[in-house]
Amino acid sequence: MNETPASNGTWRRVLSAAALYFVLVFAVGLLLGPARVLWLEPWLGRTLAVLCEAPLLTVAMWFGARWAPAWAKLEPGWRRRLAMGLFALAMQQVADLAVGFGLRGMTVGDQLAYFATPAGLIYIATLIVFAAMPLIVALQAPRSEP
């Protein structure tokens, strides 16, 4: 079995799965973000608020990483799942920059400076989990007998 993402129209399925995974998780983030910023941050501070949001996003990632490849009919294979996660991460970063610029008036410098804060380090960890979750879910799936 050829496992390269470029074979037999697999790129389309990888990109479809990545887009769906991104949309599902980003939508959850858009729902949780205002609650975190408006309610949790004033009460708990930025770091604890982000720490409270992270498990909920991780659950959304897990469900999205299970559902999106099935919906896109993405064949099994660790390279495909890794490509799915990395493409979804690229989409997420573009969207995050757009939201930061458009809704929060942040600059690229502001967003990069955020990564150096404790809350930003938690955010980086969630980005790594986001990119890796399709692969993690695939590795946890029971293997069928040949």
Side-chain angles (χ1 to χ4, degrees), residues 75-134:
E75 301 90 352
W78 71 269
R79 289 183 183 126
R80 291 180 187 95
R81 295 307 191 275
L82 183 58
M84 175 189 150
L86 292 175
F87 280 121
L89 177 63
M91 292 177 212
Q92 188 280 333
Q93 285 299 282
V94 168
D96 197 40
L97 284 171
V99 168
F101 296 152
L103 296 179
R104 301 180 79 192
M106 296 176 76
T107 66
V108 172
D110 293 336
Q111 293 192 349
L112 291 175
Y114 175 69
F115 288 137
T117 67
L121 294 174
I122 295 165
Y123 178 62
I124 289 170
T126 62
L127 292 176
I128 293 167
V129 171
F130 178 67
M133 189 62 76

Side-chain angles (χ1 to χ4, degrees), residues 47-64:
T47 301
L48 287 177
V50 171
L51 200 55
C52 288
E53 181 185 40
L56 300 172
L57 287 172
T58 303
V59 169
M61 292 172 204
W62 185 82
F63 279 107

